[in-house]
Amino acid sequence: MRRLRLLLAVVVARVAAFLARLAGHRGSSLPGMVALRLCPQAPAWLARDIRGHRVIVTGTNGKTTTSNMLRTILTEAGYRVVANREGANLITGVATCLLRAAGWRGRLDHDHAVLEADEAAFPSIAAAVRPSVVVVTNFFRDQLDRYGELDRTVQLIRDALLGLEDVTLVLNADDPLVAQLARLTGHPAVFYGLAPVKGHRTGQVREARYCPLCRAPLGYDGYVYGQLGHYRCACGFTRPRADFEGLPEHGGTGALTVCHPGGRLQLTPGTTGFYNTYNALAAFAAARVLDVPVEVIQKALAAYRPATGRMEEFRYGSKKVILNLVKNPAGFNESLAALLETRGTKDVFIAINDLVADGRDVSWLWDVDFEVLAAHDDCRRFVCAGRRGADMAVRLKYAGVPVDRIGVAPSLQIGIRATLAGDGEVAFFLATYTALWPVERLLRRELRGDRVRAHRMPSVS
Amino acid sequence: MLTVCHLYPDLLNLYGDRGNVLAFVARCRWRGIPVRVLEVGLGDPVDFGEVDFVFLGGGSDREQDIMARDLLARRDDLAAAVEEGLVVLAICGGYQLLGRYYRAADGTLIPGLGLLDFHTRAGKKRLIGNVAVEVDLDGWRVTLCGFENHAGRTYLGDLAPLGRVLAGHGNNGEDGTEGARYKNVFCSYLHGPLLPKNPALTDHLIRLALRRRGLPEELEPLDDTLEREAVRVMLRRLKVRTG
């Protein structure tokens, strides 16, 4: 009976996937949604077929990149890995990827699973998959109208972790909100973090300046970013010693030295930015928990290339074109830092949507430090677009960007064309989640004819 | 010189509410009105008599609790300044705190500052979404836009609302009121943030602050094309017609 239901779910998912593709969708969630209706236990039954580890990666920023890096490492190590891709990170997306991988026989023939889980969906995904390893990257403010406040998100994940057995946590030591999970759940934990970097800038967005355990203000011996850093509290809660500690090289090349329990080694991931340093460390630590040799990790990360819209780079004539996803204040600030580090005059396109996946409330734009752009003469023009392009324009105006450099485009296409037609040496495209795919599609259409060399660059997020 | 007091900027930094301070300051500076900002944290001394505009935002429950205790110690100074015309903008959690009490879901009564005659009760479902509100500013009818996200339902006592809800929930989703007004105190549930997108309200607050100091309150008009466009897009989506 159970096999029958599962096989039925497989068939239905396949048909749904076929129809979705026929209708021009990517079909990364719909098949699972339909199949779950018929057989809610499908993901749980399928997950039991996995021979080795079931890894879930969750947190606000860096889920996609960390899981992609880990999948690359495990594949390099010769394992057969099942993974959800492209941010299909709700239970429907997980069900879709497991059913797709199961084939017509309804069985998985895989060594490991690497699943990215949206924070709000983590409880349902964890309950179904029963992970043996859980990676938590960081907790920042993200789409509050969907998750309620940050405290609730952390609680949700803590409670779900309490319901698990035989699980190893891989935690960001530098984020007090993440690091506390070891103590709150009692599960064995492996920590990763950055060695303190003197003089690194500090952002405005600091979520947990107060001790999550006793509420007293936290002291910091060094900030990395936002609330991330080397914190300590009078109550005894301090940043745990990192089992995997990264020391980034000067000059923002992305290269770093990693101190790990077996020694130290140089890592040169094909990505830059602080987030990616964290993502690489998280993937490194998780891979070690899975006993992958360090040399394999080193090799896989050096060859790793970012996914769509994660600082993806194109050419348009002599112009460099960069596309990046923005989804919350912390990530947007990192994108602005990357923009300022890019040499040459720029035309900047920003598409802001306010659908559920973007966050319906666009007030988070006011927690981004656009003020850094005011004095930056290299940015010749800002083209704002998307459902809330006008709100973006208002934000830039109050950040001190001269009004004659700000425009609101009536459509994505008009905005993209105007940006590419600008006289800047670089065209920088930033888009929120639901705007990313349409912008990428329209952008590729404009670039077609002009030979597209999809030479990819650093990822942020 | 106008003095803006931003209360607990580190603590109450949810939903981009600091944009309200940015907008007030920018619109003064663009007109050559000198203005300075005092960022006041927990326990920092502040003389409300010397201040022209106070902004109080909202935070998560944890932070709300910390700030309430700190503000309670300053209650009498604040109340005296409010009585003699201090201009205040309080948003969401900051708004709730100025009332008599907040009744939590489990029945616990959390006392407020009691500066304004209203109370708030926790509701089951959060009231979330875009809002349009019609307000009267010195005889001018203005439509404000913003985004609300609150579990509390606020019920006004002997007190005027900020305005009338044209779309969205407002104070409680029942009586069509949004926010509250008392002397020069303006309370609202609207994030967005409220002031940048609604320059008519910002200028009104600046005028009230100048009036209280006996300074000329005539404001040079500014180009608000972008702000008007942002509001127009939302009103059209909410199917709200303005006269």
Side-chain angles (χ1 to χ4, degrees), chain B residues 121-169:
Chain B
R121 287 201 301 262
K124 274 209 187 84
K125 234 184 117 219
R126 285 186 86 83
L127 304 177
I128 301 174
N130 290 296
V131 189
V133 184
E134 188 181 71
V135 300
D136 182 297
L137 302 175
D138 271 350
W140 292 91
R141 214 173 57 178
V142 176
T143 307
L144 308 179
C145 263
F147 192 94
E148 62 182 333
N149 184 351
H150 52 108
R153 267 70 163 165
T154 295
Y155 299 90
L156 304 181
D158 183 16
L159 194 63
L162 175 64
R164 189 170 66 87
V165 175
L166 301 177
H169 305 286

Side-chain angles (χ1 to χ4, degrees), chain A residues 52-124:
Chain A
H53 284 277
R54 296 166 308 282
V55 184
I56 297 186
V57 181
T58 193
T60 310
N61 287 331
K63 292 186 287 283
T64 303
T65 304
T66 302
S67 350
N68 286 349
M69 283 175 165
L70 183 58
R71 179 170 48 82
T72 307
I73 293 168
L74 295 175
T75 308
E76 174 75 29
Y79 292 117
R80 234 174 107 80
V81 183
V82 56
N84 54 342
R85 297 194 194 184
E86 300 161 347
N89 56 15
L90 304 179
I91 185 72
T92 48
V94 169
T96 303
C97 97
L98 293 178
L99 285 161
R100 185 185 294 157
W104 292 108
R105 291 176 51 240
R107 281 194 203 282
L108 287 179
D109 176 26
H110 293 76
D111 300 303
H112 301 297
V114 178
L115 302 168
E116 162 192 343
D118 176 275
E119 303 94 285
F122 179 79
S124 58

Side-chain angles (χ1 to χ4, degrees), chain B residues 17-202:
Chain B
D17 284 334
R18 73 184 175 123
N20 291 309
V21 173
L22 294 180
F24 188 96
V25 169
R27 296 185 73 82
C28 286
R29 293 208 173 126
W30 289 337
R31 293 170 165 121
I33 303 169
V35 57
R36 63 178 180 143
V37 179
L38 298 176
E39 298 203 330
V40 176
L42 294 175
D44 292 349
V46 60
D47 178 357
F48 289 116
E50 297 288 303
V51 169
D52 298 288
F53 173 55
V54 170
F55 174 71
L56 182 62
S60 70
D61 291 348
R62 178 185 58 187
E63 280 139 359
Q64 189 96 2
D65 187 41
I66 299 173
M67 92 159 168
R69 268 180 279 155
D70 192 75
L71 207 54
L72 222 46
R74 314 174 189 261
R75 189 209 172 270
D76 294 346
D77 290 351
L78 186 59
V82 162
E83 288 305 318
E84 59 88 21
L86 174 65
V87 182
V88 177
L89 177 67
I91 301 289
C92 200
Y95 167 22
Q96 294 171 348
L97 191 63
L98 299 188
R100 289 193 280 120
Y101 62 84
Y102 183 96
R103 190 182 288 281
D106 61 3
T108 326
L109 214 63
I110 303 161
L113 296 189
L115 294 184
L116 273 65
D117 181 19
F118 67 82
H119 68 273
T120 306
R121 287 201 301 262
K124 274 209 187 84
K125 234 184 117 219
R126 285 186 86 83
L127 304 177
I128 301 174
N130 290 296
V131 189
V133 184
E134 188 181 71
V135 300
D136 182 297
L137 302 175
D138 271 350
W140 292 91
R141 214 173 57 178
V142 176
T143 307
L144 308 179
C145 263
F147 192 94
E148 62 182 333
N149 184 351
H150 52 108
R153 267 70 163 165
T154 295
Y155 299 90
L156 304 181
D158 183 16
L159 194 63
L162 175 64
R164 189 170 66 87
V165 175
L166 301 177
H169 305 286
N171 279 336
N172 46 49
E174 298 160 26
D175 63 15
T177 64
E178 202 306 299
R181 251 167 117 160
Y182 172 71
K183 293 191 184 258
N184 288 341
V185 180
F186 293 75
C187 299
S188 174
Y189 272 116
L190 269 54
H191 302 286
L194 181 60
L195 294 189
K197 232 166 99 168
N198 299 289
L201 177 61
T202 318

Side-chain angles (χ1 to χ4, degrees), chain A residues 156-411:
Chain A
L156 213 63
I157 291 183
R158 180 200 65 193
D159 293 347
L161 288 174
L162 281 170
L164 297 173
E165 283 165 23
D166 298 324
V167 63
T168 301
L169 307 182
V170 176
L171 302 177
N172 186 338
D174 296 349
D175 186 342
L177 293 173
V178 171
Q180 63 167 339
L181 290 173
R183 195 190 279 203
L184 295 178
T185 63
H187 292 307
V190 167
F191 290 97
Y192 65 91
L194 288 181
V197 183
K198 284 230 169 72
H200 188 68
R201 78 204 151 82
T202 63
Q204 283 261 8
V205 194
R206 291 194 198 128
E207 283 307 341
R209 304 212 10 198
Y210 294 83
C211 173
L213 298 178
C214 80
R215 295 183 176 199
L218 284 173
Y220 277 86
D221 297 324
Y223 279 118
V224 177
Y225 190 82
Q227 82 271 17
L228 307 186
H230 286 235
Y231 50 85
R232 60 190 147 66
C233 178
C235 76
F237 177 63
T238 53
R239 174 198 184 260
R241 204 185 59 77
D243 305 286
F244 298 85
E245 191 162 75
L247 181 66
E249 233 171 48
H250 289 294
T253 59
L256 68 155
T257 306
V258 183
C259 295
H260 59 95
R264 51 198 295 150
L265 63 90
Q266 282 289 117
L267 212 56
T268 48
T271 54
T272 60
F274 265 92
Y275 272 125
N276 283 319
T277 309
Y278 274 118
N279 296 337
L281 281 169
F284 193 113
R288 286 301 294 142
V289 170
L290 271 62
D291 282 329
V292 178
V294 289
E295 299 74 28
V296 176
I297 300 174
Q298 196 177 21
K299 193 175 161 212
L301 286 179
Y304 175 79
R305 291 294 172 270
T308 306
R310 307 302 209 275
M311 287 296 275
E312 208 178 353
E313 197 177 316
F314 312 90
R315 297 304 302 187
Y316 181 72
S318 62
K319 204 189 280 278
K320 180 151 112 177
V321 179
I322 297 169
L323 172 65
N324 196 24
L325 169 72
V326 288
K327 53 178 187 175
N328 50 38
F332 212 138
N333 281 334
E334 276 295 296
S335 294
L336 294 182
L339 186 149
L340 295 181
E341 279 164 19
T342 306
R343 290 216 183 126
T345 54
K346 296 159 202 98
D347 291 282
V348 182
F349 170 95
I350 310 178
I352 304 294
N353 273 357
D354 64 349
L355 298 172
V356 172
D358 304 292
R360 291 169 57 210
D361 180 7
V362 295
S363 62
W364 63 275
L365 293 175
W366 292 80
D367 288 323
V368 180
D369 299 324
F370 290 103
E371 282 71 15
V372 297
L373 298 172
H376 196 67
D377 284 337
D378 274 356
C379 295
R380 296 295 160 85
R381 202 156 44 133
F382 292 89
V383 178
C384 304
R387 290 164 57 93
R388 301 301 288 272
D391 282 84
M392 186 61 235
V394 171
R395 176 68 189 100
L396 290 173
K397 176 182 172 181
Y398 282 88
V401 173
V403 180
D404 55 11
R405 293 192 187 175
I406 307 171
V408 181
S411 74

Side-chain angles (χ1 to χ4, degrees), chain A residues 5 8-10 12-14 16 29-42 95-96 99:
Chain A
R5 279 194 91 92
L8 191 65
V10 166
V12 167
R14 295 239 145 183
S29 295
L30 178 80
M33 196 184 296
V34 181
L36 278 172
R37 274 286 183 72
L38 280 170
C39 179
Q41 307 92 327
T96 303
L99 285 161

